[in-house]
Amino acid sequence: MDFRTTVERAERLKQLHADHKPLVLPTVWDVWSARTAVAAGFPALTIGSHPLADSRGAEDQEGQTFEEVLAAVRPIIAAVDVPVSVDLESGYGQQPADLVAGLIEAGGVGLNIEDTVHSEGGRVRSTQEHASYVAGLRAAADGAGVPVWVNGRTDLFAHAEKPSAVLDEVIERLRALEQAGADSVYPVKIQDNDELLAAVTAAVAVPVNTTAHPVKHDLERFRRLGIGRITYGPLLQFALTDAMKDMLNPWAPSS
């Protein structure tokens, strides 16, 4: 993909976030799922690390190298004419500038970055460390001349025994990510908790991303709670797995 097209797609992704409240980005993992989502009417997509890994027989949580991920996402991005964001987990040990350069070279115009560092035993970055990494991504994208959409993810709720007990810490982290240049923020594992979703959406000015299940969740509920961006994580692939099993079971040989 040429540089001009990449810039245009990045600008388009930014405008879509402004136009849609919330913007739903189906999480895809291969050319078929990407083309299917576009044919269903979606103007932008995200590639998820978990479904991508499953489709390739790899492990999630950085079971692939950055180079392997780039090789996998290039044909997906090239197969559609809409902006595509890529889940880059915690960065695969890359410096922010190298992460952004690889993404742009592959044609990606958005990224997801989390604070659980899988290559270092699953430790969680501190608030300042994660904000500094996001700031590095923002600076690298600006320096490259591509307005890459940075979705700053935190796993603090996911790691907490009682999610509500870490709300203040999560809000502090989300605000730090916003100040560092994140275009949206993504506190995971609270998609079923109205109180926590409302609290985080009220705490920041940028869109809040939530995970959704395409069958079990309701779009209007997320809209009422002020959610600005919705992705599926692995849940679309899980839903299709369930549907495929239901279709195939009657055809399976009986024991």
Side-chain angles (χ1 to χ4, degrees):
M1 186 185 304
D2 63 73
F3 182 76
R4 181 177 177 180
T5 300
T6 302
V7 172
E8 289 174 349
R9 290 192 182 185
E11 292 173 342
R12 176 64 177 153
L13 183 59
K14 182 177 181 179
Q15 187 60 49
L16 287 168
H17 280 89
D19 292 344
H20 297 271
K21 305 290 186 179
L23 176 64
V24 180
L25 298 169
T27 305
V28 301
W29 54 89
D30 60 10
V31 169
W32 167 80
S33 58
R35 286 177 170 167
T36 301
V38 172
F42 288 92
L45 308 171
T46 185
I47 298 172
S49 65
H50 190 153
L52 181 70
D54 275 359
S55 74
R56 292 166 53 79
E59 293 295 323
D60 189 29
Q61 301 182 345
E62 301 193 359
Q64 301 177 87
T65 66
F66 184 43
E67 291 72 22
E68 288 170 336
V69 169
L70 291 180
V73 303
R74 281 191 194 98
I76 304 173
I77 295 169
V80 294
D81 60 358
V82 302
V84 180
S85 181
V86 182
D87 179 0
L88 295 179
E89 306 193 66
S90 58
Y92 307 99
Q94 303 291 311
Q95 293 299 311
D98 296 327
L99 203 70
V100 168
L103 175 75
I104 292 172
E105 185 276 331
V109 296
L111 64 88
N112 186 79
I113 193 76
E114 64 194 65
D115 53 7
T116 301
V117 187
H118 305 292
S119 60
E120 298 178 21
R123 73 173 184 88
V124 180
R125 292 183 178 123
S126 69
T127 293
Q128 185 54 54
E129 183 187 7
H130 197 40
S132 295
Y133 197 92
V134 165
L137 296 170
R138 177 82 281 140
D142 292 348
V146 181
V148 172
W149 187 275
V150 177
N151 189 40
R153 169 175 155 169
T154 179
D155 295 345
L156 289 179
F157 283 131
H159 293 307
E161 185 174 334
K162 185 179 180 182
S164 60
V166 298
L167 176 60
D168 290 345
E169 184 181 359
V170 169
I171 287 175
E172 177 188 6
R173 182 158 302 195
L174 297 181
R175 287 173 172 166
L177 295 176
E178 179 182 8
Q179 293 170 3
D183 298 289
S184 57
V185 291
Y186 186 15
V188 298
K189 297 296 184 182
I190 58 169
Q191 60 263 28
D192 295 313
N193 190 314
D194 286 18
E195 184 178 349
L196 292 179
L197 286 173
V200 295
T201 58
V204 293
V206 295
V208 172
N209 191 132
T210 189
T211 310
H213 189 287
V215 178
K216 298 176 182 178
H217 285 129
D218 175 56
L219 176 60
E220 289 306 314
R221 167 178 165 262
F222 288 127
R223 182 175 286 119
R224 289 194 303 270
L225 290 168
I227 294 298
R229 170 180 160 123
I230 294 172
T231 51
Y232 295 134
L235 301 183
L236 173 60
Q237 191 181 62
F238 289 172
L240 289 173
T241 299
D242 292 339
M244 184 173 176
K245 287 179 179 177
D246 288 343
M247 286 186 286
L248 292 179
N249 280 340
W251 295 85
S254 55
S255 57

